[in-house]
Amino acid sequence: MSLLQRSMILVTAVLCLSVIYVSADADVDANCLGCMCEAATRCNATTACHHSGGGYFCGPFHISWAYWADAKKPVLLHDDPNRQGAFEDCAKDLYCSASVVRTYMKTFAQKTEKGDCNGDGKIDCIDFAYMHRLGGYSCKDASFTKTAFYERFMTCWKVVQEAMPQTTTSSSNSSSIS
């Protein structure tokens, strides 16, 4: 990968991070969210809702209605989750959709047997990428590593990891399974 490509990915990730950063205590950090957004749609905040592969997906994180429902149906301020269009409005909003992803990951990462999607003994951002794309109910699929989503995610994640200080690279956003 050229220096220009690496720089563009880092700039995109930093831009996304500045927009989707919510709080320091969240289980999914802003770097991880930025790379999932990059992998899903190149973090295109204007991604429209559309039918694809038998599902209905919306927004920069390419969120389905079922994913949103599993995340307890977060909505924009003063909106009603039962209102027709509430899902679409939230999924297309970068802040709201980042909240959906964080809540979804928090829900599924607590289930140790399901949270370690790649079987490496820890739950980290790579597992979150598996869960985001494959779903929290069935994220253990080795063929996932051959997808365009995974390749884009790992390209971004490697750039982010290289940019981080060495002391936090190995411990960033992971928990060991006991």
Side-chain angles (χ1 to χ4, degrees):
M1 175 177 0
S2 73
L3 181 59
L4 179 60
Q5 289 172 316
R6 292 168 58 100
S7 297
M8 291 303 295
I9 289 171
L10 187 58
V11 167
T12 301
V14 168
L15 179 61
C16 291
L17 299 176
S18 66
V19 173
I20 60 180
Y21 181 78
V22 176
S23 68
D25 63 287
D27 291 336
V28 182
D29 71 18
N31 292 323
C32 187
L33 277 173
C35 286
M36 284 191 286
C37 189
E38 174 68 21
T41 65
R42 302 211 191 296
C43 218
N44 182 349
T46 63
T47 301
C49 297
H50 61 281
H51 291 277
S52 173
Y56 180 61
F57 300 92
C58 295
F61 286 96
H62 208 237
I63 294 171
S64 71
W65 188 93
Y67 187 110
W68 176 70
D70 283 341
K72 301 172 183 53
K73 299 182 180 181
V75 294
L76 296 171
L77 187 63
H78 306 300
D79 201 350
D80 176 357
N82 298 314
R83 179 186 65 81
Q84 185 173 358
F87 155 67
E88 290 86 348
D89 290 346
C90 177
K92 291 187 293 186
D93 179 84
L94 203 50
Y95 294 104
C96 194
S97 59
S99 174
V100 171
V101 174
R102 284 192 164 153
T103 303
Y104 188 89
M105 297 305 153
K106 193 176 284 188
T107 299
F108 287 98
Q110 291 176 356
K111 299 173 180 169
T112 306
E113 70 282 357
K114 292 188 183 228
D116 181 21
C117 301
N118 62 357
D120 66 356
K122 62 185 177 192
I123 299 172
D124 60 12
C125 185
I126 296 170
D127 295 301
F128 293 148
Y130 274 75
M131 281 184 250
H132 182 67
R133 187 62 173 188
L134 300 175
Y137 295 103
S138 59
C139 67
K140 295 178 176 153
D141 183 349
S143 68
F144 175 63
T145 61
K146 294 175 179 31
T147 64
F149 177 95
Y150 183 81
E151 288 175 17
R152 284 190 304 267
F153 170 79
M154 288 307 294
T155 298
C156 177
W157 190 239
K158 286 175 185 172
V159 170
V160 168
Q161 292 300 294
E162 288 172 6
M164 293 176 73
Q166 289 296 341
T167 56
T168 60
T169 302
S170 63
S171 64
S172 177
N173 209 20
S174 72
S175 59
S176 293
I177 299 172
S178 341

